[in-house]
Amino acid sequence: AAIVWALQIPGLQIYIFRRHHGDLHKNHMAGETSFPVMLAPLVQAKQCRIVEGEIRFANASTIHLCHCQHEKDKYKYQGPEIHVLIVDEATHFSESIYRFLRARVRMGANSLKIPEALKGLFPRVILCTNPGGVGHNWVKRGWVTPHKPLTVWRTGKPDGGFLRQYIPARVRDNPSLDAETYEANLM
């Protein structure tokens, strides 16, 4: 989604966070489904460049690959206008770090030309996670507990007034996994 949106919306600023830099690299910059592999044709066509920590598109959109390991690290992100915030493994983050980053999610009224089909979808926050970790309780309290899965609701002002939706995923939802083996491994 980050690549598609970056190509469709000139100047879009997308920030993807993992708690640790090593995890960020392993999950997004290495392997068959990594950004370098997915973007190889665009890099070859000079439609984007992968520079340490960033993917820069010819239309001025950028995917920033960030980490925020310690509580004090959040202050490195004090100033940016984040159009899309993606937090990978959100339960690895403290609620304080998440709230700080989410407070940077904004868009000036005329800052970007959003295609008609995408109007109303930005700014945007996406959290991906598994149960457990230091953030388990705040994620469960904020997404899992309030409403039935797939229900869309709007948060109050203390939570940014964003639309929110919890989309659960089960082992058998991923057709690329050998579900039987994976379930046995999880047990």
Side-chain angles (χ1 to χ4, degrees):
I3 294 168
V4 170
W5 294 331
L7 290 169
Q8 290 179 322
I9 305 170
L12 190 69
Q13 299 302 302
I14 302 166
Y15 283 71
I16 299 176
F17 278 87
R18 280 292 298 231
R19 184 77 187 257
H20 301 280
H21 181 268
D23 291 338
L24 181 73
H25 180 80
K26 284 186 276 189
N27 288 307
H28 300 287
M29 297 303 287
E32 292 177 19
T33 60
S34 67
F35 279 118
V37 171
M38 288 189 290
L39 292 168
L42 293 174
V43 169
Q44 194 169 19
K46 301 204 183 307
Q47 292 300 307
C48 74
R49 296 183 301 141
I50 300 175
V51 181
E52 188 163 331
E54 292 184 347
I55 300 164
R56 299 177 187 162
F57 293 83
N59 67 359
S61 292
T62 305
I63 298 173
H64 303 267
L65 301 170
C66 308
H67 69 283
C68 201
Q69 182 172 354
H70 304 288
E71 198 69 29
K72 66 181 180 183
D73 294 339
K74 66 187 178 187
Y75 298 110
K76 294 187 291 190
Y77 307 101
Q78 182 103 21
E81 179 177 287
I82 298 175
H83 304 136
V84 179
L85 171 63
I86 300 172
V87 182
D88 189 7
E89 291 299 348
T91 56
H92 291 190
F93 290 85
S94 69
E95 184 173 8
S96 166
I97 291 173
Y98 165 70
R99 286 184 175 277
F100 186 89
L101 296 174
R102 194 203 60 220
R104 271 85 214 135
V105 178
R106 61 191 185 276
M107 281 175 49
N110 298 312
S111 62
L112 299 174
K113 291 186 178 182
I114 307 290
E116 200 59 43
L118 300 176
K119 294 241 179 187
L121 298 179
F122 300 92
R124 183 179 197 106
V125 177
I126 298 172
L127 302 172
C128 309
T129 199
N130 288 297
V134 299
H136 177 87
N137 289 332
W138 69 262
V139 170
K140 185 175 181 185
R141 184 176 64 249
W143 282 265
V144 179
T145 306
H147 298 278
K148 290 181 181 176
L150 306 177
T151 303
V152 177
W153 74 97
R154 186 172 299 280
T155 64
K157 282 188 178 182
D159 285 315
F162 286 96
L163 290 175
R164 208 172 256 189
Q165 183 179 34
Y166 166 57
I167 304 171
R170 308 276 187 260
V171 170
R172 298 195 181 274
D173 292 339
N174 187 343
S176 68
L177 287 177
D178 174 353
E180 301 290 328
T181 303
Y182 188 58
E183 281 183 90
N185 288 341
L186 289 174
M187 296 307 245

